[in-house]
Amino acid sequence: MIPLHSHPSGRHFLQIPGPTNVPDRVLRAIDNVTIDHRGPEFGELGKAVLAGMKKVFKTDANVVIYPASGTGAWEAALVNTLSPGDKVLMAETGHFATLWKKMAERLGLQVEFQEGDWRHGADPEQIGARLAADTQHQIKAVCVVHNETATGVTSNVAAVRQAIDAAGHPALLMVDTISSLGSVDYRHDEWGVDVTVAGSQKGLMLPPGLAFNAFSAKALAASETAALPRSYWDWKEMLAINPRGYFPYTPATNLLYGLHEALDMLFAEGLENVFARHQRHGEATRRAVRTWGLEVLCLKPDEYSPALTAVLMPEGHSADALRKTILTNFDMSLGQGLSKLSDKVFRIGHLGDFNDLTLCGTLSGVEMGLQKAGVPHNKGGVQAALDYLAQTSQAHPG
């Protein structure tokens, strides 16, 4: 057990892009007594959170909730809609797109992976051209990560759907929103998505442990003939009992209490206000980064992530050494570079339960860390962010 005296005073700044800080209100809700998951009180809770998640996905379609991580949501999307040997088109936008591709291959799917440089989102034109060339309609699904957590790059899901339609192709569109749902504007129905996957530990402000699928009527029809093995992930089992607020197996009861509270918080603020807040904090962070003379990994302004910013280190300097310096001296955790970005970038999470003062503390920790670690930079990044925040602040509704 870690001795208590090893913890410095004040709260730890958890500024990785997920799991994010869990609000006290949500922690208190999770701390409720566990109730009978077959009883009437739980049935009302189940119906409430399922209805609430439809609002967050912006869908009238089916939504299911699993006791799982986002990885489980990936698998559920694939096994409910596809058969062994089916061809899937995926876009290489970063580490998590690569992991989804590896999972698909392990499940016996043929994956065509459109190469990317990890600094851009999925290319709708490239996707559309490939589908137009697939005159036999061998490609059964297109899989895209909406917000790539490893890179801070978002993909234009609406444009991908337009490219699929322009090619006249029947492929399903599957989208990973694990680090965007509840932080970045997302519209399952309007954008014509067939399966959306999500997890609890980022914009939804919960601990890890809940996974979500939202799926269209077209995806549900595909599940009738899909032949990949499925049991735990079977949508049909869920849909048979979800309308009464229950689940086919033991759900994560206390996490659902937390989800109910988190949904109340999101709806009280208003989803559009939540998205605007994240956009504003992303812009303030990038202004700080540029003032420091550092480079944002994402290259296209219209693909900047509102949820996190990945920052490239100057040549010859270690991102992990900087992160260690900041953790040791200022008790703040930043996201590490993953796989091919290992030790080359650090990631600043600015999503979930987050406000102006949280961002000011975060950026102050980074600027002090840059100085203490001897990383070449210009001073004034925090001030640039402060100026922007002050200029764009709005009074809280009383």
Side-chain angles (χ1 to χ4, degrees):
M1 187 172 181
I2 300 174
L4 292 177
H5 65 260
S6 71
H7 294 281
S9 62
R11 78 167 181 84
H12 172 68
F13 267 60
L14 181 67
Q15 301 316 139
I16 63 176
T20 60
N21 298 288
V22 179
D24 287 342
R25 278 180 57 181
V26 173
L27 289 172
R28 298 294 77 78
I30 293 171
D31 195 29
N32 207 337
V33 295
T34 302
I35 59 174
D36 176 10
H37 62 288
R38 302 286 180 233
E41 185 180 352
F42 183 86
E44 293 306 309
L45 172 66
K47 286 187 284 189
V49 294
L50 286 164
M53 286 306 301
K54 288 188 177 188
K55 293 181 182 178
V56 178
F57 280 111
K58 295 188 177 179
T59 186
D60 292 323
N62 292 298
V63 172
V64 296
I65 305 174
Y66 300 100
S69 69
T71 305
W74 279 349
E75 183 165 339
L78 297 173
V79 299
N80 275 287
T81 56
L82 300 169
S83 299
D86 278 353
K87 183 173 286 189
V88 178
L89 182 64
M90 292 181 155
E92 183 194 3
T93 52
H95 177 73
F96 291 98
T98 304
L99 290 181
W100 200 6
K101 174 239 188 190
K102 290 179 178 178
M103 171 187 281
E105 290 173 333
R106 291 188 186 123
L107 291 171
L109 300 170
Q110 298 181 52
V111 180
E112 186 172 326
F113 206 36
Q114 293 187 329
E115 290 186 3
D117 62 2
W118 292 37
R119 304 191 71 177
H120 295 84
D123 185 341
E125 289 187 12
Q126 187 180 16
I127 291 171
R130 179 64 188 92
L131 293 177
D134 179 31
T135 56
Q136 300 300 310
H137 296 165
Q138 293 181 334
I139 295 171
K140 302 303 180 185
V142 175
C143 298
V144 173
V145 175
H146 182 218
N147 186 78
E148 175 56 68
T149 320
T151 65
V153 177
T154 58
S155 290
N156 188 332
V157 174
V160 172
R161 166 46 70 190
Q162 290 166 7
I164 296 171
D165 292 346
H169 202 286
L172 297 168
L173 174 58
M174 302 190 191
V175 180
D176 168 345
T177 66
I178 292 170
S179 64
S180 58
L181 194 73
S183 300
V184 184
D185 189 18
Y186 185 77
R187 310 175 188 187
H188 177 93
D189 284 0
E190 183 180 328
W191 293 347
V193 181
D194 292 299
V195 187
T196 302
V197 304
S200 58
Q201 74 275 19
K202 299 183 188 282
L204 294 177
M205 304 180 292
L206 290 161
L210 295 179
F212 308 87
N213 276 180
F215 48 94
S216 68
K218 180 180 175 181
L220 184 58
S223 73
E224 294 297 325
T225 56
L228 280 174
R230 61 188 187 269
S231 175
Y232 182 85
W233 306 115
D234 196 344
W235 289 343
K236 188 179 295 185
E237 297 290 320
M238 285 287 200
L239 295 181
I241 195 169
N242 275 175
R244 301 195 302 278
Y246 301 110
F247 297 81
Y249 39 69
T250 306
T253 307
N254 287 55
L255 282 178
L256 293 177
Y257 286 144
L259 176 59
H260 190 276
E261 191 70 18
L263 290 170
D264 275 353
M265 293 176 68
L266 288 172
F267 299 148
E269 184 176 354
L271 287 178
E272 301 312 311
N273 295 327
V274 171
F275 303 148
R277 168 167 58 84
H278 283 78
Q279 289 280 5
R280 182 168 164 270
H281 289 152
E283 176 60 25
T285 301
R286 292 188 295 272
R287 290 185 180 217
V289 172
R290 293 192 191 98
T291 303
W292 291 325
L294 301 180
E295 187 178 356
V296 175
L297 182 67
C298 179
L299 288 175
K300 291 179 64 177
D302 61 353
E303 293 181 340
Y304 288 149
S305 170
L308 72 136
T309 300
V311 184
L312 277 165
M313 290 293 288
E315 192 69 33
H317 291 269
S318 164
D320 290 344
L322 171 65
R323 290 174 50 253
K324 183 177 180 181
T325 295
I326 291 171
L327 177 61
T328 302
N329 289 277
F330 308 117
D331 195 24
M332 181 168 75
S333 295
L334 297 173
Q336 68 185 93
L338 299 171
S339 54
K340 66 172 66 177
L341 295 175
S342 178
D343 206 27
K344 296 178 181 178
V345 305
F346 63 92
R347 295 175 295 145
I348 303 169
H350 36 76
L351 72 162
D353 185 35
F354 199 83
N355 62 23
D356 286 11
L357 294 184
T358 313
L359 181 60
C360 294
T362 300
L363 297 177
S364 295
V366 174
E367 187 159 336
M368 289 189 293
L370 290 168
Q371 180 174 340
K372 199 163 189 68
V375 177
H377 70 287
N378 304 315
K379 295 184 182 299
V382 173
Q383 189 61 55
L386 291 177
D387 291 344
Y388 175 75
L389 291 173
Q391 292 163 7
T392 58
S393 67
Q394 294 183 345
H396 244 277

